[in-house]
Amino acid sequence: ELGGRRRFFLRELPLLASLACLIIALSGPLYGHRWEETPGRGRDLLIALDCSKSMYAPDVPPSRMVAAKREIKDLLPFLKGERVGLVAFSGSAFLQCPLTADFSGLTLFLDALDPSRMPRGGTNLAEALRVALEALPERTGRSQAILLVTDAEDTEGDVAPLLEEARRRNIPLFALGVGTAQGSTIPDPARRGAPVQDASGKPVISR
């Protein structure tokens, strides 16, 4: 009986092997890599995120900074196929992430932003717009836009010439305000959350 089973198995082995190969082929295994074109609508969006210390204010819980990042992340799924870049600004501005369709990478750059790591304090909207406009290439044939995410406490710079350049290049500017009219004090992580104080020692209220 054992010999009969062995002969049956050996006789059916080519059929079983063929069936296994067919199953593997139908599963469509991939080796190495391949390029795949993703559909896009030809639009570039540069997001300029305010990283000044006033973004620590908790009037939009848990803080303006956390709320702003959450709003940006909620926006990304609606931009599938587009290119998005990220500018961080306070008293100065820099390109944190160039235009990309890789939103997972963009999110990593976004998560890394924190007001305590900015090289200069203050808020310079003009510098933010300048860096954003430089990051958007001219004459590409793509639709372009800038989204400014800020608590709107502009302390430096002249935005007028930057707005004029945006108009000349037909780049619309959208603003997302983060904060409340009544405002709040600003906790300072460097002082264990104690409120930021002005020159006279009074807590600063950011509105």
Side-chain angles (χ1 to χ4, degrees):
E1 188 180 350
L2 252 170
R5 287 181 180 176
R6 188 178 294 111
R7 284 194 299 273
F8 175 79
F9 177 76
L10 291 174
R11 188 172 65 249
E12 300 298 328
L13 183 59
L15 178 62
L16 293 172
S18 299
L19 185 59
C21 290
L22 179 61
I23 293 171
I24 293 172
L26 289 173
S27 68
L30 297 175
Y31 298 94
H33 70 276
R34 70 179 182 187
W35 292 104
E36 186 173 312
E37 188 173 343
T38 57
R41 285 163 284 188
R43 293 191 289 210
D44 291 338
L45 174 66
L46 225 299
I47 301 174
L49 175 60
D50 189 342
C51 295
S52 58
K53 285 188 177 180
S54 61
M55 292 292 282
Y56 281 135
D59 54 345
V60 182
S63 73
R64 294 175 186 174
M65 192 68 185
V66 172
K69 289 183 177 182
R70 185 171 58 229
E71 292 297 324
I72 293 171
K73 290 177 182 178
D74 288 345
L75 173 66
L76 293 179
F78 296 98
L79 302 173
K80 192 173 183 181
E82 317 289 14
R83 296 194 306 175
V84 181
L86 181 64
V87 168
F89 72 95
S90 53
S92 57
F94 58 88
L95 184 63
Q96 173 78 347
C97 178
L99 290 167
T100 179
D102 178 11
F103 294 165
S104 59
L106 178 75
T107 301
L108 291 176
F109 284 110
L110 177 64
D111 288 337
L113 287 177
D114 189 88
S116 64
R117 298 174 184 165
M118 296 301 289
R120 276 192 63 199
T123 306
N124 193 330
L125 298 182
E127 189 68 5
L129 291 178
R130 182 189 65 79
V131 175
L133 287 167
E134 287 180 354
L136 289 170
E138 290 201 56
R139 296 183 293 276
T140 61
R142 299 172 67 93
S143 298
Q144 298 177 329
I146 295 173
L147 173 62
L148 189 64
V149 184
T150 176
D151 60 14
E153 290 203 323
D154 187 17
T155 58
E156 302 176 56
D158 180 11
V159 299
L162 283 309
L163 293 176
E164 186 56 40
E165 181 182 349
R167 288 191 198 99
R168 177 184 63 80
R169 292 171 55 182
N170 294 317
I171 299 176
L173 172 64
F174 301 94
L176 174 62
V178 186
T180 61
Q182 61 269 30
S184 72
T185 57
I186 307 168
D188 186 353
R191 300 175 60 233
R192 297 185 180 181
V196 173
Q197 299 177 342
D198 60 19
S200 63
K202 294 180 179 179
V204 173
I205 304 296
S206 174
R207 296 180 175 86

